[in-house]
Every structure is written in C-alpha cells, then in structure tokens.
Amino acid sequence: MRFVTYLDSKNQEIPALVAAPAQLIELKSLAVDLLTLIRDWDRVAPAVKKLQTEFKEGKIPAGQIVAESSVKLISPIPRPTSMRERPASDTLVAR
C-alpha cells in the first residue's frame, strides 16, 4: 500500500491511498491526515483494505476517486512529530 497527501481545491490536506497509477482514493472519512491514519492503523486497516478491494471491483463512488494529475501532492506527513539524524556510517558512532 502506498499513501500520499494532496491539497484539494480549498487547500485542505487530504490523505489518500494510491489505488492505481495516477488514481487516488481519498481517505478523509477514515482519518484527517496520514499521521492519524498511522496512529489509528489497527482501527482503520480493515476499512482501507476494503476500499482497495472495492476499487478493484469497480465499486468505489466516483467522487472518492481522484486523478493524481488534478491535485497537488505534498509531503505525506507535512509536520513530523520528530526528526532524527543517523550517522553516515557506524564508525562515526564508535568515535
């Protein structure tokens, strides 16, 4: 599964599942952003998997499918809760 975040016409951040090349399924009914989706994964995973299956079967409402070319993709997690730096090699750690 691949996830993205895009801006809609109102500049709201929308989490989405990449369903096929150039097609996204918006997930705002499941989570307000990807960080929330990750935090609540145990709860939302069945619904995300169901959406994948319904997409393959052609059962997703057209309004929930978004063409990637019609939106602006942004950083999947625009405001990470932390950032960590890892040394380039293990020898730097030993020093």
Side-chain angles (χ1 to χ4, degrees):
M1 275 185 230
R2 289 183 24 225
F3 297 95
V4 297
T5 300
Y6 68 88
L7 292 177
D8 68 3
S9 60
K10 298 175 185 172
N11 279 338
Q12 294 178 314
E13 297 172 7
I14 307 294
L17 170 67
V18 178
Q23 289 188 307
L24 311 174
I25 301 172
E26 64 88 359
L27 301 174
K28 65 183 175 186
S29 63
L30 299 177
V32 295
D33 57 27
L34 280 186
L35 196 53
T36 303
L37 187 85
I38 292 165
R39 286 182 184 145
D40 295 345
W41 185 248
D42 290 339
R43 178 183 61 82
V44 299
V48 172
K49 291 174 184 175
K50 182 180 177 190
L51 284 172
Q52 269 189 317
T53 301
E54 290 175 348
F55 177 82
K56 291 175 185 172
E57 296 171 352
K59 296 180 180 177
I60 298 283
Q64 200 170 354
I65 299 173
V66 179
E68 187 177 314
S69 62
S70 70
V71 297
K72 178 181 179 183
L73 296 180
I74 61 173
S75 173
I77 302 177
R79 293 167 301 284
T81 57
S82 67
M83 294 184 71
R84 297 189 173 100
E85 182 179 338
R86 184 168 191 277
S89 71
D90 292 334
T91 57
L92 293 174
V93 175
R95 291 183 189 173

